[in-house]
């Protein structure tokens, strides 16, 4: 994780002086000064988290210069094989925004569908055949 | 020396993709708030007279107490995460024995504190409207309600996330990695929203 961490941290550090230079030459124009400074924080946030992780986990196969592909075999994490629920949530979001053009009553229906979709999505791996 | 490692591992210790994804998404949320800060500072530099006229209506002490509630809710949230990392959903002792609390108790307390923050904000909005400051009465009102309002919506989103987290915890007969991961990423979000509020509080209430 050290490479990823250094990459994001150094990009983050780059943006702080850039924000200062921009603020100086633009006579403290607020939009760019705030945005460039926060781009620096964005990178520092990801880089800092990777740094924290690199202390918590062992070296990964990809951290080893002589690592082989098959060393990465095994548990990669938990992934959903497929799910209909994101489609329900997308339909709900479409209804909510269509409501802005058609009328608020449609947004209300979309909101109700969003509650159903979100609940189904969140609990998909807690119930039915996945009860644990 | 790759040769000694070539035997396939049963499991590899790698970063949890849910946690990494949450952090990357929160970093993009930072840019959403960057837009709000940019809007606030732009209007402040173009119509400074508005700030001189309107900021006196803010009740800084009241907002500071409300801020304290939100900051302390981050502490209780973290206690809940540590309980989740012990895979302990419920308390082992009396409800008054705080040290034996599990994740459910800590996260419920966090939820209540977040709800108090939102309730406090509603009262603050009502008193500002009473003093003639609304989103449409002045440029200051627009940026004040847009910045604090979008933050408030994020807090409400966090409250909904806590309900889902507690729902998952109650549904699970065995509290495992699935539930613990949910607790951890919800806490990332909560801490992020808390830090953003501290920045907003300093900019809006202290710097004025």
């Amino acid at each position: 994780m050290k490479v990823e961490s250094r990459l994001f941290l150094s990009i983050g550090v780059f943006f702080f002086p850039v924000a200062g230079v921009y603020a100086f030459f633009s006579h403290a124009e607020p939009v760019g000064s705030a945005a460039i400074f926060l781009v620096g924080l964005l990178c520092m946030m990801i880089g800092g988290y990777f740094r924290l992780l690199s202390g918590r986990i062992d070296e990964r196969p990809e951290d080893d210069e002589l690592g082989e592909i098959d060393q990465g075999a095994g548990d990669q994490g938990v992934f959903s094989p497929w799910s209909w629920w994101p489609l329900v949530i997308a339909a709900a979001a479409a209804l909510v925004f269509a409501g802005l053009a058609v009328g608020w009553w449609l947004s209300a229906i979309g909101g109700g569908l969003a509650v159903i979709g979100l609940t189904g999505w969140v609990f998909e791996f807690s119930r039915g055949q996945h009860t644990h | 020396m790759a040769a000694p490692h070539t035997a396939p591992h049963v499991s590899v210790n790698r970063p949890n993709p849910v946690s990494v994804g949450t952090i990357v998404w929160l970093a993009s949320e930072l840019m959403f708030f960057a837009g709000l800060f940019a809007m606030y500072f732009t209007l402040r530099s173009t119509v400074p007279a508005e700030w001189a006229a309107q900021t006196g209506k803010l009740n800084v002490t009241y907002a500071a107490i409300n801020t304290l509630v939100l900051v302390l809710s981050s502490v209780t949230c973290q206690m809940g995460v540590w309980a989740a990392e012990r895979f302990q959903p419920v308390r082992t002792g009396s409800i008054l024995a705080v040290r034996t609390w599990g994740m459910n108790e800590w996260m419920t307390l966090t939820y209540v504190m977040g709800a108090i923050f939102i309730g406090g904000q509603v009262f603050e909005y009502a008193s500002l409207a009473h003093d003639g400051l609304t989103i449409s009465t002045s440029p200051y009102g627009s940026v004040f309600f847009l910045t604090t309002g979008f933050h408030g919506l994020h807090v409400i989103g966090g409250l909904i996330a806590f309900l889902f987290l507690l729902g998952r915890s109650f549904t699970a007969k065995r509290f495992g990695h699935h539930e613990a991961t949910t607790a951890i990423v919800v806490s990332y979000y909560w801490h992020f929203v808390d830090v953003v509020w501290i920045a907003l509080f300093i900019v809006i209430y202290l710097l004025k």
Side-chain angles (χ1 to χ4, degrees), chain A residues 15-16 26 35 37 45 48 54 56 66 74 84 92 99 101-102 121 125:
Chain A
F15 276 109
F16 295 133
S26 65
F37 175 74
M45 195 173 146
S54 72
R56 276 191 204 157
L66 298 169
W84 289 109
V102 178
W121 196 39
F125 293 99

Side-chain angles (χ1 to χ4, degrees), chain A residues 1 30-31 34-35 38-39 41-42 45-46 49-50 53 56-58 60-62 64 66 68 70-76 79 118-119 122-123 125-126 131-132, chain B residues 1-2 5-6 8-15 17 19-20 23-24 26-28 30-31 34 37-38 41-42 45 164 167-168 171-174 178-179 188 192:
Chain A
M1 292 302 288
V31 175
L38 283 170
V39 168
L41 279 188
L42 175 153
M45 195 173 146
I46 299 174
Y49 184 69
F50 284 169
L53 274 183
R56 276 191 204 157
I57 63 173
D58 297 334
R60 300 163 307 158
E62 48 264 56
D64 179 1
L66 298 169
E68 301 282 353
D70 66 327
Q71 282 174 248
D75 194 358
Q76 305 289 318
F79 299 96
L118 268 176
T119 310
V122 168
F123 290 103
F125 293 99
S126 299
T131 308
H132 56 270
Chain B
M1 290 296 285
H5 299 287
T6 42
H9 290 234
V10 178
S11 87
V12 175
N13 192 359
R14 22 178 84 254
S19 309
V20 174
I23 291 290
V24 172
L26 286 177
S28 79
L30 193 65
M31 295 321 290
F37 278 112
F41 287 124
T42 303
S45 66
F164 280 138
R168 272 189 175 177
T171 317
K173 290 190 188 70
R174 267 182 305 108
H178 183 59
E179 289 73 27
Y188 287 166
F192 173 81

Side-chain angles (χ1 to χ4, degrees), chain B residues 11-87:
Chain B
S11 87
V12 175
N13 192 359
R14 22 178 84 254
N16 185 333
V18 182
S19 309
V20 174
T22 305
I23 291 290
V24 172
W25 168 65
L26 286 177
S28 79
E29 280 275 283
L30 193 65
M31 295 321 290
F32 173 82
F33 284 103
L36 294 179
F37 278 112
M39 175 190 72
Y40 182 90
F41 287 124
T42 303
L43 270 154
R44 199 173 80 150
S45 66
T46 47
V47 280
E50 272 291 323
W51 261 248
Q54 306 283 359
T55 51
K57 291 175 181 167
L58 296 179
N59 186 343
V60 180
T61 318
Y62 180 87
I65 294 167
N66 219 11
T67 304
L68 189 67
V69 172
L70 193 68
V71 171
L72 288 177
S73 80
S74 250
V75 177
T76 60
C77 180
Q78 194 55 38
M79 303 300 272
V81 168
W82 286 331
E85 284 175 344
R86 295 194 302 267
F87 300 121

Side-chain angles (χ1 to χ4, degrees), chain B residues 87-196:
Chain B
F87 300 121
Q88 187 203 340
V90 289
R91 65 179 188 271
T92 52
S94 145
I95 197 158
L96 295 174
V98 174
R99 282 178 184 200
T100 69
W101 276 15
M103 191 207 78
N104 294 355
E105 287 84 11
W106 282 116
M107 292 311 191
T108 308
L109 178 62
T110 310
Y111 181 93
V112 170
M113 290 167 86
I116 290 173
F117 175 83
I118 289 295
Q121 239 184 355
V122 169
F123 275 111
E124 186 186 22
Y125 281 11
S127 93
L128 286 173
H130 188 72
D131 292 345
L133 184 69
T134 69
I135 196 163
S136 54
T137 50
S138 88
Y140 180 74
S142 300
V143 293
F144 175 83
F145 287 109
L146 277 174
T147 50
T148 59
F150 268 116
H151 177 272
L153 285 178
H154 277 79
V155 175
I156 292 171
L159 293 180
I160 293 169
F162 276 120
L163 289 185
F164 280 138
L165 165 62
L166 288 169
R168 272 189 175 177
S169 172
F170 287 135
T171 317
K173 290 190 188 70
R174 267 182 305 108
F175 188 99
H177 285 284
H178 183 59
E179 289 73 27
T181 301
T182 312
I184 291 167
V185 296
V186 170
S187 86
Y188 287 166
Y189 178 80
W190 195 250
H191 295 321
F192 173 81
V193 168
D194 189 12
V195 170
V196 167

Side-chain angles (χ1 to χ4, degrees), chain A:
Chain A
M1 292 302 288
K2 288 199 175 67
V3 178
E4 290 96 325
S5 154
R6 281 194 205 117
L7 183 72
F8 276 98
L9 286 177
S10 47
I11 296 173
V13 167
F14 166 76
F15 276 109
F16 295 133
V18 170
V21 170
Y22 179 87
F24 178 76
F25 283 106
S26 65
H27 308 290
E29 184 276 317
V31 175
S33 308
I36 298 173
F37 175 74
L38 283 170
V39 168
L41 279 188
L42 175 153
C43 299
M44 297 293 280
M45 195 173 146
I46 299 174
Y49 184 69
F50 284 169
R51 200 187 167 85
L52 201 76
L53 274 183
S54 72
R56 276 191 204 157
I57 63 173
D58 297 334
E59 291 260 294
R60 300 163 307 158
E62 48 264 56
D63 296 326
D64 179 1
E65 272 190 45
L66 298 169
E68 301 282 353
I69 296 292
D70 66 327
Q71 282 174 248
D75 194 358
Q76 305 289 318
V78 183
F79 299 96
S80 169
W82 55 269
S83 175
W84 289 109
W85 292 112
L87 205 66
V88 177
I89 297 167
L95 280 180
V96 168
F97 283 101
L100 296 181
V102 178
W104 289 106
W105 58 274
L106 196 59
S107 295
I109 295 173
L113 189 63
V115 171
I116 295 169
L118 268 176
T119 310
W121 196 39
V122 168
F123 290 103
E124 182 161 26
F125 293 99
S126 299
R127 62 193 192 88
Q129 60 169 328
H130 299 289
T131 308
H132 56 270

